[in-house]
Amino acid sequence: MQLIELDASGWAKPLDFYLALLPQLGAPEWHGLNLDALYDSLLGDINAVEPPFSVTIRNIDRLPAEMADFMMRVATVFADARQDHGVDVTLQLI
C-alpha cells in the first residue's frame, strides 16, 4: 500500500489541499479542483497512483474553521469511495 503524507500547515483554502494532494496522486493536469472530481478520480484509473493507498494529513488542528469543515467533507469523499465502491483508499486527519 502506498502511503502519502501531507502537511496542512498554512492551508487557507481548498485550492491549497488540491495543490498538495493531486501531484502526489500523479493526477493529470486536467483534473478538476472540486470534491466531485476527487471522488471520480478515486474510483477511476486516471491517476498514476492506483489504490490501495492511504493519505495522512498532519496539522489539521492549525486549519481555519472553514478549511477544517472542508477537510471533513474530503474525509466523507474517501469514506464514500471505500464504502460504496470498495475502493481501497483511506484518509487519516491528524
Side-chain angles (χ1 to χ4, degrees):
M1 174 178 288
Q2 179 146 352
L3 304 175
I4 298 169
E5 291 198 21
L6 303 174
D7 184 352
S9 298
W11 291 359
K13 54 189 181 267
L15 180 61
D16 298 325
F17 161 75
Y18 292 115
L19 292 178
L21 178 64
L22 294 181
Q24 295 298 313
L25 292 178
E29 288 184 21
W30 49 263
H31 192 291
L33 302 176
N34 59 66
L35 293 174
D36 288 337
L38 177 61
Y39 183 78
D40 289 344
S41 76
L42 293 176
L43 300 182
D45 54 352
I46 65 169
N47 298 321
V49 175
E50 297 275 332
F53 63 85
S54 178
V55 178
T56 299
I57 302 177
R58 300 187 183 285
N59 297 312
I60 64 158
D61 58 329
R62 299 179 183 175
L63 292 175
E66 182 178 316
M67 267 307 287
D69 291 344
F70 173 75
M71 293 312 301
M72 292 300 107
R73 292 174 35 218
V74 170
T76 299
V77 167
F78 272 75
D80 287 352
R82 186 175 184 89
Q83 293 170 0
D84 296 345
H85 296 279
V87 179
D88 192 1
V89 294
T90 59
L91 177 67
Q92 182 178 15
L93 302 174
I94 55 175

